[in-house]
Amino acid sequence: MLWVPAFAGTSGPTNLRMINKIVQTMAEAMAGIRDGAVVLVGGFGSIGQPNALIDGLIEHGAKGLTIVSNNAGVGRIGLARLLELGRVRKIICSYPRSVDPVVFEELYRAGKIELEIVPQGTLAERLRAAGAGIPAFFTATAVGTKLAARKEQREIGGRHYLLEEALAGDVALIEAWEADRWGNLTYRSSARNFNPVMAMAATLTIAQAQHIVDLGALDPEKIATPGIHVSRVLHVPYGEPIVT
Amino acid sequence: MLWVPAFAGTSGPTNLRMINKIVQTMAEAMAGIRDGAVVLVGGFGSIGQPNALIDGLIEHGAKGLTIVSNNAGVGRIGLARLLELGRVRKIICSYPRSVDPVVFEELYRAGKIELEIVPQGTLAERLRAAGAGIPAFFTATAVGTKLAARKEQREIGGRHYLLEEALAGDVALIEAWEADRWGNLTYRSSARNFNPVMAMAATLTIAQAQHIVDLGALDPEKIATPGIHVSRVLHVPYGEPIVT
Amino acid sequence: MNETAAKVVAKCRPMTRAEMAARVARDIPEGWYVNLGIGAPLQVADYVPAEREVIFHSENGVLGMGPAPAPEAINRWLINAGKQYVTLRKGGAYMHHADSFGVIRGGHLDLCVLGAFQVAENGDIANWSISDNDSAPAVGGAMDLAVGVRQVWVLMEHQTKSGESRLTRRCTYPLTALGVVKRVYTNLAVLDVTLDGFAVRDMVEGLTLEALQSVTGAPLHAQVH
Amino acid sequence: MNETAAKVVAKCRPMTRAEMAARVARDIPEGWYVNLGIGAPLQVADYVPAEREVIFHSENGVLGMGPAPAPEAINRWLINAGKQYVTLRKGGAYMHHADSFGVIRGGHLDLCVLGAFQVAENGDIANWSISDNDSAPAVGGAMDLAVGVRQVWVLMEHQTKSGESRLTRRCTYPLTALGVVKRVYTNLAVLDVTLDGFAVRDMVEGLTLEALQSVTGAPLHAQVH
């Protein structure tokens, strides 16, 4: 779905068959997400986290999901709500703890959710590897720890490393600052975090953006995610995030 | 050598012990490059190629070098001149051909230079891996070709891959557009190419920059190489490059 | 080659380089992300109408490449992989070499059009070196493009200057990649690479399957439409 | 613990968290690139004088992090790894998570200051989980930082609340990394991790080596200066 007909009212289309990744409704944004999908969710804590899209995914109803995200949600909203509704089979993250990880901890203790803990840098690199066509790589992170269990170990140049595999998503949910109709994205300050690597690691990448700008308005030296890594963009001008 | 005393006349220092990576002379820029060093040279053809620093390296006199560069020089100037002077033991590149690769071809036919041909994407990734602390990775590039000779091959998920090792430099020579005293760099258009990955892959990274700007003048969203990857900056306002 | 076939080939007019490029351009769907190999494939961009949005990528970190600039408007820092001056379209972006080859190897491009010395009926391609004793072999980004991009089309003359077929049962030149070519555009025909080998999709006017077969080094099948 | 040693320990005043952070800050050379682990180490930044250029990195893609903002000047998109609002100094830059951990794992940072549950005399560190049956283990970036950064210092209380030494012969908690700790700052002392084990670099006023040994779970050596 790289090409969709342009909608009237978006940034000045003159050619009705031009590339336009901007969708007008949440239903369009979520279309095609299947039960059992691996869903990459951007953000570090609540900053850069695509909250509107997570709510859209809840509404959409897909279940049996594997969620890949640095954190496992806070309180009973957003990601935590998705978990609470029993939609998530497994979570792959580096840091499920939070100020209020109540939902995750309940499910985990009850054995109702599978947890794969991945060191944060290894998580980022496994996602980047998936996006860059690298099926596996070696890293020194976690050598000699219990997270090395069942992983292939190898000595290279006198140092020990673990083999880690690429982690690809069926879907990525991304939060951006600005977007254009080709799907080019910028981020704001530390809200960049996992978003660019997740955008490139998924088959279907859906971004929510605070600002939709005309094609050509973004500085080509400053685009952090080129549109080739983005399938759909939804305009969600929600204002300021709240740290949770 | 992360920290050097500030020089009078650079962008408004008030603290004499602040970080200042800007050097005033080519001799300072080249200080410490040893015989036998692995030298990464940025650029794709002549665009983004640090010509002044290459001339500085010729002047400096280090020999027995291994040069890592996408190309092997044109005519009898710059990189080709370095080769012609017999300073280069080995070249690692993807594309030694050019409109006028006379020096390289003479040396290569005479058996006076060792050549390691690396596919361009594998070259970029091996450099990036060195910079990112990844000692080795798998790639499908070159499987089944003569460039796969003596490389470990492995099937992952039903596809064949080769194991490639990180390629680190002792020195990197970089061409940038703008630089500040912390070593933050921007590039111009396609002159970015290999420069950011080489900057992060070397122990001593030396950049020539067309413009020196005050600290804080570069947009933090647009810095393509953060200063942590840069050791020294030399102001070389040479104007427009010429495609060769 | 039997005489009738030879006469048929001799009588038909092979496509020019420009016609071949135009034919490839015609077949690229709107909205595709496309990399054009250095040499003849670079011309393909000139034949995609400006109002049709095909996004061209260049290995040296340019996504959204536009046509050659007017002489007075050259940006001397903006070249393509063939080291020619190009422009950037609105919506274009720059990236470094590792990110650029991440785009390639990661399977994000829909199409790559490559030149080649030989293509085999199993999709093998040889396009970087004509001998194991090459005086200075140069691979560039060909191997990365060939294995990484979703679909590889080849644009090449049907025969060498000495009359040998560039379409073969097996490549004899050093390989670039195994089994990746999906379609071949030559000056005589357009052929798909199928599980059964080469299937003829189109031929220049006046050519017959038999005549094309007579100048082709691998069995041809008629395309089933 | 013999009685004399116990009395000496009881009489001396351990450093406060703030004093420990200030002591670490004092020892960071100007110009170093430094990552501060979440928890107590984050405080270290507050004690580096503003005119001294130490460049702080945060895992979530911030290089050149400055102090907490004034309440009216908060950028709500700019947090540190501990999810507190911070600022960006002039010369700072943002990067994505893979690039940020490339900085960490690639050995580009001079120093990382981590909190810990235990440090062993061989430099092993345990700082992410206190049991193999942790109800919800959370590792974050600790393992990447511990193996990637050129030098790891640990900032922690000398003993647990129940009086057990956090400096040990071997870690009993799940390990974060093997043999990486170079120095430990506790509320009682500063110790280097050497090939011979812990070497005391400094102690709080009134403390003796014998007294410190009495509350430490691994042999101590006097520092050779």
Side-chain angles (χ1 to χ4, degrees), chain D residues 121-176:
Chain D
E121 61 181 356
N122 62 357
D124 289 357
I125 174 174
N127 82 340
W128 70 288
S129 171
I130 52 168
S131 155
D132 279 331
N133 304 309
D134 204 332
S135 71
V139 69
M143 290 186 179
D144 308 281
L145 285 163
V147 304
V149 175
R150 290 185 200 146
Q151 194 159 156
V152 176
W153 294 353
V154 164
L155 176 62
M156 64 179 186
E157 302 291 313
H158 205 90
Q159 296 169 285
T160 65
K161 278 173 190 158
S162 57
E164 286 167 87
S165 174
R166 292 185 183 278
L167 294 96
T168 61
R169 281 190 170 274
R170 289 295 176 268
C171 291
T172 55
Y173 291 159
L175 289 170
T176 303

Coordinates of all heavy atoms in Angstrom, one line a residue, chain D residues 121-176:
Chain D
E121 N 35.2 -7.9 43.8 CA 36.6 -7.5 43.7 C 37.2 -7.7 42.4 O 38.3 -7.2 42.1 CB 37.4 -8.2 44.8 CG 37.4 -9.7 44.7 CD 38.2 -10.4 45.8 OE1 38.8 -9.7 46.6 OE2 38.2 -11.6 45.8
N122 N 36.6 -8.5 41.5 CA 37.0 -8.7 40.2 C 36.4 -7.8 39.2 O 36.6 -7.9 38.0 CB 36.8 -10.2 39.7 CG 35.3 -10.5 39.7 OD1 34.5 -9.7 40.1 ND2 35.0 -11.7 39.3
G123 N 35.6 -6.8 39.7 CA 35.0 -5.8 38.8 C 33.6 -6.2 38.3 O 33.0 -5.4 37.6
D124 N 33.2 -7.4 38.6 CA 31.8 -7.7 38.3 C 30.8 -6.8 38.9 O 31.0 -6.3 40.0 CB 31.4 -9.2 38.7 CG 32.2 -10.2 38.0 OD1 32.9 -9.9 37.0 OD2 32.0 -11.4 38.3
I125 N 29.7 -6.5 38.2 CA 28.7 -5.7 38.8 C 27.3 -6.3 38.7 O 27.0 -7.0 37.7 CB 28.7 -4.3 38.1 CG1 27.5 -3.4 38.5 CG2 28.6 -4.4 36.6 CD1 27.5 -2.0 38.0
A126 N 26.5 -6.1 39.7 CA 25.1 -6.6 39.7 C 24.2 -5.4 40.1 O 24.3 -4.8 41.2 CB 24.9 -7.7 40.8
N127 N 23.4 -4.9 39.1 CA 22.7 -3.7 39.4 C 21.3 -3.7 38.8 O 20.7 -2.7 38.7 CB 23.5 -2.5 39.0 CG 23.3 -2.2 37.5 OD1 23.0 -3.0 36.7 ND2 23.6 -0.9 37.1
W128 N 20.8 -4.9 38.3 CA 19.5 -4.8 37.6 C 18.4 -5.7 38.2 O 17.2 -5.5 37.9 CB 19.7 -5.1 36.1 CG 20.0 -6.6 35.8 CD1 21.2 -7.2 36.1 CD2 19.1 -7.5 35.2 NE1 21.1 -8.5 35.6 CE2 19.8 -8.7 35.1 CE3 17.8 -7.5 34.8 CZ2 19.3 -9.9 34.5 CZ3 17.3 -8.6 34.2 CH2 18.0 -9.8 34.1
S129 N 18.8 -6.6 39.1 CA 17.8 -7.6 39.5 C 18.3 -8.2 40.8 O 19.5 -8.4 40.9 CB 17.6 -8.6 38.5 OG 16.8 -9.7 38.9
I130 N 17.5 -8.3 41.8 CA 18.0 -8.9 43.1 C 17.7 -10.3 43.3 O 18.0 -10.9 44.3 CB 17.5 -8.1 44.3 CG1 15.9 -8.0 44.2 CG2 18.1 -6.7 44.3 CD1 15.3 -7.4 45.5
S131 N 17.1 -11.0 42.3 CA 16.7 -12.4 42.4 C 16.5 -13.0 41.1 O 16.0 -12.3 40.1 CB 15.5 -12.5 43.3 OG 14.8 -13.7 43.0
D132 N 16.8 -14.3 41.0 CA 16.5 -15.0 39.7 C 15.0 -15.1 39.5 O 14.5 -15.5 38.5 CB 17.2 -16.3 39.7 CG 18.7 -16.2 39.3 OD1 19.0 -15.2 38.5 OD2 19.5 -17.0 39.7
N133 N 14.2 -14.9 40.6 CA 12.8 -15.0 40.5 C 12.1 -13.6 40.6 O 11.0 -13.5 41.1 CB 12.3 -15.9 41.6 CG 12.9 -17.3 41.6 OD1 13.0 -17.9 40.5 ND2 13.5 -17.7 42.7
D134 N 12.8 -12.6 40.1 CA 12.3 -11.3 40.1 C 10.9 -11.3 39.5 O 10.6 -11.9 38.4 CB 13.2 -10.4 39.2 CG 13.1 -8.9 39.6 OD1 12.1 -8.5 40.1 OD2 14.2 -8.3 39.4
S135 N 10.0 -10.6 40.1 CA 8.6 -10.6 39.7 C 8.5 -9.9 38.3 O 7.7 -10.3 37.5 CB 7.7 -9.9 40.7 OG 7.9 -8.5 40.7
A136 N 9.2 -8.9 38.1 CA 9.3 -8.3 36.7 C 10.6 -7.7 36.5 O 10.9 -6.5 36.7 CB 8.2 -7.2 36.6
P137 N 11.6 -8.5 36.0 CA 12.9 -8.0 35.8 C 12.9 -6.9 34.8 O 12.2 -6.9 33.9 CB 13.7 -9.2 35.3 CG 12.6 -10.1 34.7 CD 11.4 -9.8 35.5
A138 N 13.8 -5.9 35.0 CA 13.9 -4.7 34.1 C 15.3 -4.4 34.0 O 16.0 -4.0 34.9 CB 13.1 -3.6 34.7
V139 N 15.9 -4.5 32.8 CA 17.3 -4.3 32.6 C 17.6 -2.9 32.1 O 18.7 -2.3 32.4 CB 18.0 -5.4 31.8 CG1 17.5 -5.3 30.3 CG2 19.5 -5.4 31.9
G140 N 16.8 -2.3 31.3 CA 17.0 -1.0 30.7 C 18.3 -1.1 29.9 O 18.6 -2.0 29.2
G141 N 19.1 0.0 30.0 CA 20.4 0.1 29.3 C 21.6 -0.3 30.1 O 22.7 -0.1 29.6
A142 N 21.4 -0.8 31.3 CA 22.5 -1.1 32.2 C 23.6 -2.0 31.6 O 24.8 -1.7 31.7 CB 22.0 -1.7 33.5
M143 N 23.2 -3.1 30.9 CA 24.2 -4.0 30.4 C 25.0 -3.4 29.3 O 26.1 -3.7 29.1 CB 23.5 -5.3 30.0 CG 22.9 -6.1 31.1 SD 22.3 -7.7 30.5 CE 21.8 -8.4 32.1
D144 N 24.3 -2.6 28.4 CA 25.0 -2.0 27.3 C 26.0 -1.0 27.8 O 27.1 -0.9 27.4 CB 24.0 -1.2 26.4 CG 22.8 -2.1 26.0 OD1 23.0 -2.9 25.1 OD2 21.7 -2.1 26.6
L145 N 25.6 -0.2 28.8 CA 26.5 0.8 29.4 C 27.7 0.1 30.1 O 28.8 0.5 29.9 CB 25.8 1.7 30.5 CG 24.8 2.7 29.9 CD1 23.8 3.2 31.0 CD2 25.6 3.9 29.3
A146 N 27.4 -0.9 30.8 CA 28.5 -1.6 31.6 C 29.6 -2.2 30.7 O 30.8 -2.1 31.0 CB 27.9 -2.7 32.5
V147 N 29.2 -2.7 29.5 CA 30.2 -3.3 28.7 C 30.8 -2.3 27.6 O 31.8 -2.6 27.1 CB 29.7 -4.6 27.9 CG1 29.2 -5.6 28.8 CG2 28.7 -4.2 26.8
G148 N 30.0 -1.3 27.4 CA 30.4 -0.4 26.2 C 31.3 0.8 26.6 O 32.1 1.2 25.8
V149 N 31.1 1.3 27.7 CA 31.7 2.6 28.1 C 33.2 2.3 28.5 O 33.4 1.3 29.1 CB 30.9 3.3 29.1 CG1 31.6 4.6 29.6 CG2 29.5 3.7 28.6
R150 N 34.1 3.3 28.2 CA 35.5 3.0 28.5 C 35.8 2.7 30.0 O 36.6 1.9 30.3 CB 36.3 4.2 28.0 CG 36.4 4.3 26.5 CD 37.3 5.4 26.1 NE 37.0 5.8 24.7 CZ 37.1 7.1 24.3 NH1 37.5 8.0 25.0 NH2 36.7 7.3 23.0
Q151 N 35.1 3.4 30.8 CA 35.4 3.3 32.3 C 34.0 3.3 33.0 O 33.2 4.2 32.8 CB 36.3 4.5 32.7 CG 36.9 4.3 34.0 CD 38.1 5.1 34.3 OE1 38.4 5.4 35.4 NE2 38.8 5.6 33.2
V152 N 33.9 2.4 33.9 CA 32.6 2.3 34.7 C 33.0 2.6 36.2 O 33.8 2.0 36.8 CB 32.0 1.0 34.6 CG1 30.7 0.9 35.6 CG2 31.6 0.6 33.2
W153 N 32.3 3.6 36.7 CA 32.4 3.9 38.2 C 31.1 3.6 38.8 O 30.0 3.8 38.2 CB 32.7 5.4 38.5 CG 34.0 5.9 38.0 CD1 35.1 5.1 37.5 CD2 34.5 7.2 38.0 NE1 36.1 5.9 37.2 CE2 35.8 7.2 37.5 CE3 34.0 8.4 38.4 CZ2 36.6 8.4 37.3 CZ3 34.7 9.6 38.2 CH2 36.0 9.6 37.7
V154 N 31.1 3.1 40.0 CA 29.8 2.8 40.7 C 29.6 3.7 41.9 O 30.6 4.0 42.6 CB 29.8 1.3 41.1 CG1 28.7 1.0 42.2 CG2 29.6 0.4 39.9
L155 N 28.4 4.1 42.0 CA 28.0 5.0 43.2 C 27.0 4.3 43.9 O 25.9 4.0 43.4 CB 27.5 6.3 42.6 CG 27.0 7.4 43.6 CD1 28.0 7.9 44.5 CD2 26.4 8.6 42.8
M156 N 27.3 3.9 45.2 CA 26.3 3.1 46.0 C 26.6 3.2 47.5 O 27.7 3.5 47.9 CB 26.3 1.6 45.5 CG 27.6 0.9 45.8 SD 27.5 -0.9 45.3 CE 29.1 -1.4 45.9
E157 N 25.6 2.9 48.3 CA 25.9 2.8 49.7 C 26.9 1.6 50.0 O 26.8 0.6 49.2 CB 24.6 2.4 50.5 CG 23.4 3.4 50.3 CD 23.7 4.8 50.9 OE1 24.1 4.8 52.1 OE2 23.5 5.8 50.2
H158 N 27.7 1.8 51.0 CA 28.7 0.7 51.3 C 28.0 -0.6 51.7 O 28.4 -1.7 51.4 CB 29.6 1.2 52.4 CG 31.0 0.5 52.3 ND1 32.0 1.0 51.6 CD2 31.4 -0.6 52.9 CE1 33.0 0.2 51.7 NE2 32.7 -0.8 52.6
Q159 N 26.9 -0.5 52.5 CA 26.2 -1.6 53.0 C 24.7 -1.6 52.6 O 24.1 -0.5 52.4 CB 26.3 -1.7 54.5 CG 27.7 -1.9 55.0 CD 27.8 -1.7 56.5 OE1 27.8 -0.5 57.0 NE2 28.0 -2.8 57.2
T160 N 24.1 -2.7 52.6 CA 22.6 -2.8 52.5 C 22.0 -2.3 53.8 O 22.7 -2.1 54.8 CB 22.1 -4.2 52.3 OG1 22.4 -5.0 53.4 CG2 22.8 -4.8 51.0
K161 N 20.7 -2.1 53.8 CA 20.0 -1.6 55.0 C 20.1 -2.6 56.1 O 20.2 -2.2 57.3 CB 18.5 -1.4 54.7 CG 18.3 0.0 54.0 CD 16.9 0.2 53.6 CE 16.8 1.5 52.7 NZ 15.7 1.5 51.8
S162 N 20.3 -3.9 55.8 CA 20.4 -4.9 56.9 C 21.9 -5.1 57.2 O 22.2 -6.0 58.0 CB 19.8 -6.2 56.4 OG 20.4 -6.6 55.2
G163 N 22.8 -4.2 56.7 CA 24.2 -4.3 57.1 C 25.1 -5.2 56.4 O 26.2 -5.4 56.8
E164 N 24.7 -5.7 55.3 CA 25.6 -6.5 54.5 C 26.4 -5.7 53.5 O 25.9 -4.7 53.0 CB 24.8 -7.5 53.6 CG 24.2 -8.7 54.4 CD 23.2 -9.5 53.6 OE1 23.6 -10.4 52.8 OE2 22.0 -9.1 53.6
S165 N 27.6 -6.1 53.3 CA 28.5 -5.3 52.4 C 28.0 -5.4 51.0 O 27.7 -6.5 50.5 CB 29.9 -5.8 52.5 OG 30.7 -5.1 51.6
R166 N 28.0 -4.3 50.3 CA 27.7 -4.4 48.8 C 29.0 -4.6 48.0 O 28.9 -4.9 46.8 CB 27.1 -3.0 48.4 CG 25.7 -2.8 49.0 CD 25.1 -1.5 48.4 NE 23.8 -1.2 48.9 CZ 22.7 -1.8 48.5 NH1 22.7 -2.7 47.5 NH2 21.5 -1.4 49.0
L167 N 30.2 -4.5 48.7 CA 31.4 -4.9 48.1 C 31.7 -6.3 48.5 O 31.8 -6.6 49.7 CB 32.6 -3.9 48.5 CG 32.4 -2.5 48.0 CD1 31.8 -1.6 49.1 CD2 33.8 -1.9 47.6
T168 N 31.9 -7.2 47.5 CA 31.9 -8.6 47.8 C 33.1 -9.3 47.0 O 33.6 -8.7 46.1 CB 30.6 -9.3 47.4 OG1 30.5 -9.1 46.0 CG2 29.4 -8.7 48.1
R169 N 33.3 -10.5 47.5 CA 34.3 -11.3 46.7 C 33.7 -11.7 45.3 O 34.3 -11.5 44.3 CB 34.7 -12.6 47.5 CG 35.7 -12.3 48.6 CD 36.2 -13.7 49.1 NE 37.3 -13.4 50.0 CZ 38.6 -13.4 49.6 NH1 38.9 -13.5 48.3 NH2 39.6 -13.1 50.5
R170 N 32.5 -12.2 45.4 CA 31.8 -12.5 44.1 C 30.3 -12.0 44.3 O 29.8 -12.1 45.4 CB 31.8 -14.0 43.8 CG 33.1 -14.5 43.4 CD 33.6 -14.0 42.1 NE 35.0 -14.5 41.8 CZ 36.1 -13.8 42.1 NH1 36.0 -12.7 42.7 NH2 37.3 -14.3 41.7
C171 N 29.7 -11.5 43.2 CA 28.3 -11.1 43.3 C 27.4 -12.3 43.5 O 27.6 -13.3 42.9 CB 28.0 -10.4 42.0 SG 28.8 -8.8 41.8
T172 N 26.4 -12.1 44.3 CA 25.4 -13.2 44.5 C 24.1 -12.8 43.8 O 23.3 -13.7 43.5 CB 25.1 -13.4 46.0 OG1 24.7 -12.1 46.6 CG2 26.4 -13.9 46.7
Y173 N 23.9 -11.6 43.4 CA 22.8 -11.2 42.7 C 23.0 -11.4 41.2 O 24.2 -11.5 40.8 CB 22.5 -9.7 42.9 CG 22.0 -9.3 44.3 CD1 22.1 -8.0 44.7 CD2 21.4 -10.2 45.1 CE1 21.7 -7.6 46.0 CE2 20.9 -9.9 46.4 CZ 21.1 -8.6 46.8 OH 20.6 -8.2 48.0
P174 N 22.0 -11.5 40.3 CA 22.2 -11.6 38.9 C 23.1 -10.6 38.3 O 23.0 -9.4 38.6 CB 20.8 -11.5 38.3 CG 19.9 -11.9 39.4 CD 20.6 -11.4 40.7
L175 N 24.1 -11.0 37.5 CA 25.2 -10.1 37.0 C 24.6 -9.2 35.9 O 23.8 -9.6 35.1 CB 26.3 -10.9 36.5 CG 27.2 -11.6 37.5 CD1 28.2 -12.6 36.8 CD2 27.9 -10.6 38.3
T176 N 25.2 -8.0 35.9 CA 25.0 -7.0 34.8 C 26.1 -7.2 33.8 O 25.9 -7.1 32.6 CB 24.9 -5.6 35.3 OG1 23.9 -5.6 36.3 CG2 24.6 -4.6 34.2

